[in-house]
Amino acid sequence: MAQEITNEPNSAREQIRQTRIQKLADLADKGVNPYPYSFDKNTDAADLQEKYKDLEPGVETEDEYSVAGRVMAIRNTGMFIDLMDSTGKIQIFSHKENLPEDQMKILKLVDIGDIVGFTGTIRRTPRGELSIKTTALKMLSKSLLPLPEKHHGLTDTETRYRQRYVDLIVNEDVRKTFKARSMIIQKIREYLAKEGFMEVETPTLQTMASGANARPFTTHHNALEMDLTLRIALELYLKRLIVGGVSERVFEIGKCFRNEGIDTRHNPEFTMIELYQAYADYNDMMTLTENMVAYVAQEVLGTMKIKYGEHEIDLTPPWDRKTMLGSIKEATGIDFLEIYSPQQAIETARKLNVHVEDTMNWGQVVEAVFEEKIEPGLIQPCHIIDYPREISPLAKVHRDNERLTERFETRVNGWEIANAFSELTDPIDQRMRFEAQAQAKANGDEEAMDIDEDFICALEYGMPPTGGMGMGIDRLVMLLTDSPSIRDVIAFPTLKKRS
């Protein structure tokens, strides 16, 4: 039993639990089921607060309602109770003049943390607190474990993540974050629907890891006697749908899994959106990306100007656009386009005090220099465009420079939040890229892709010119809710098992 969540010493905590178990017996003696099947609730706290916001202090009404929620505070031996539901808080006023004797006895068995239903009339106290004057109550769930002590709350970070249910009960800001997350995803869907996109679903279990450079989780299907992987990206199956012509615009919001490290911006299980639009290129994807994020911010937050940590960030389109190599040249004075050999690129990077491996190719070195020298300073939204060909196996060759691709990554607050291409539609070129990836994997790169013969087959049937974009939902939620860690925006993040 997981019970590590209050400020109480274990002995005191167990004593409280035993006391509450005794109250279960007392309720049973009174013929009360402490875990009943339902309750006829007909309103919530926020609706009442809004409807009666103009009710004057000291005024009582005959309007009767039934509410239900968790008891968060008890004063004057139960005369006043703070009841919290998913929308907010309302005060419950209980007095023997209004409650039958048997109900008063049940009231005395109510503890902080219990879920209780109350029926009564609306009044505003002389001190101005909107209240329900109770005429009936019903125990809906007897809480056996005490909530964290009010003035200290639940502050241990790891415990908050491990027992999110308690974190949500006691921390209003956490509830707001997850409500915002839901609204952000809803508004993404709304925006894309308006733009004519069709939402689709693709396999989570796949025969090979594809669509990104990452280590997969593997599993085994007993009936089929075959190994499978959990998907690391949504990309290649969505492109198959573009080939099939189910729609010229498709998107999917779904879970992906990467068997990699955990930090403030990475969780092994995370949520992505990927979208693909036929007859578009990466320029169209830049416009779509910034317009979608700006729309979501305006709809959810009421503004396109947000605060993250110490930074004020303006999400108003259009966003800045810089080439990867141009930004490096601007910051360091070095033009990597004038460097052709991997060895010369490695030596140049090391002169800049950038750590690179001897086995890196030219594109990987360029990326390493960019990530160390440029990326941390990209606070305002910016599309970094035209990535090296070696690190972009699924993107079209740049129409003006065959060493580069038509790829961009969107940076905000020093993070990558989106990755997009003019999608590679040439099956011959795609095979060559996959073969280069397979060679890299044979040389020890565990994140390199395998050759996906079925995807090449799909391309050989013909795929229209297509723009595609992928975005991490979790990072977007972090940004729009000013959350310092990805674990603050994932309800149940991956954590190491307790020893």
Side-chain angles (χ1 to χ4, degrees), residues 208-267:
M208 67 172 64
S210 61
N213 293 93
R215 294 178 62 183
F217 289 94
T218 59
T219 187
H220 184 79
H221 194 292
N222 294 327
L224 295 177
E225 295 184 346
M226 63 186 293
D227 290 333
L228 295 168
T229 68
L230 296 179
R231 65 185 176 192
I232 58 174
L234 311 175
E235 182 163 348
L236 298 192
Y237 280 99
L238 291 174
K239 289 181 179 179
R240 287 171 169 92
L241 293 176
I242 291 291
V243 171
V246 64
S247 172
E248 292 179 0
R249 301 183 182 202
V250 298
F251 80 96
E252 180 174 9
I253 297 174
K255 293 285 190 182
C256 293
F257 308 84
R258 297 182 182 178
N259 197 352
E260 299 171 346
I262 297 175
D263 59 29
T264 57
R265 284 182 280 162
H266 296 87
N267 191 68

Side-chain angles (χ1 to χ4, degrees), residues 321-339 345 348-352 354 356 361-376 378 382-388 391 404 411:
R321 304 181 183 193
K322 296 180 180 180
T323 66
M324 174 177 270
L325 289 134
S327 62
I328 293 174
K329 183 178 180 180
E330 182 181 347
T332 67
I334 296 172
D335 186 355
F336 273 85
L337 278 175
E338 296 180 354
I339 298 172
T348 303
R350 286 173 176 166
K351 288 178 182 177
L352 294 171
V354 175
V356 290
N361 59 40
W362 176 80
Q364 290 170 328
V365 174
V366 169
E367 184 178 41
V369 173
F370 172 82
E371 288 179 349
E372 183 159 328
K373 297 296 182 181
I374 312 303
E375 184 177 59
L378 297 174
C382 177
H383 302 301
I384 299 298
I385 68 174
D386 303 345
Y387 273 58
I391 59 171
L404 307 176
R411 297 299 204 281

Side-chain angles (χ1 to χ4, degrees), residues 34-181:
Y35 304 105
Y37 294 94
S38 63
F39 179 73
D40 190 13
K41 176 187 175 201
N42 58 21
T43 189
D44 56 41
D47 284 345
L48 291 176
Q49 296 288 0
E50 174 63 25
K51 185 173 183 178
Y52 293 97
K53 62 185 178 182
D54 297 325
L55 189 66
E56 294 292 332
V59 175
E60 297 194 17
T61 77
E62 297 300 316
D63 302 341
E64 186 176 86
Y65 295 95
S66 293
V67 297
R70 191 178 298 273
V71 174
M72 299 302 292
I74 299 175
R75 299 180 296 280
N76 291 13
T77 63
M79 182 179 292
F80 296 100
I81 287 175
D82 289 343
L83 191 75
M84 181 185 75
D85 63 19
S86 63
T87 69
K89 186 188 77 170
I90 191 162
Q91 180 171 271
I92 305 298
F93 173 71
S94 302
H95 194 275
K96 61 184 179 181
E97 292 180 357
N98 310 307
L99 272 177
E101 183 179 353
D102 61 330
Q103 294 268 283
M104 287 298 296
K105 290 178 180 179
I106 295 172
L107 181 65
K108 291 179 180 180
L109 297 173
V110 170
D111 291 300
I112 292 174
D114 290 353
I115 299 174
V116 185
F118 294 93
T119 298
T121 54
I122 294 294
R123 68 190 290 260
R124 191 175 294 279
T125 68
R127 293 186 176 184
E129 187 78 21
L130 189 68
S131 305
I132 292 180
K133 185 169 70 173
T134 310
T135 56
L137 67 90
K138 183 177 182 180
M139 178 67 72
L140 302 177
S141 183
K142 184 66 184 168
S143 170
L144 302 184
L145 294 175
L147 295 177
E149 197 270 330
K150 176 181 177 182
H151 297 292
H152 296 95
L154 184 62
T155 56
D156 179 74
T157 301
E158 184 173 341
T159 301
R160 287 181 50 229
Y161 298 149
R162 287 189 184 278
Q163 297 190 298
R164 182 70 84 185
Y165 38 90
V166 181
D167 189 28
L168 288 164
I169 290 170
V170 300
N171 290 323
E172 182 179 3
D173 287 344
V174 177
R175 296 195 297 275
K176 288 181 178 178
T177 294
F178 285 102
K179 288 178 181 179
R181 180 187 175 105

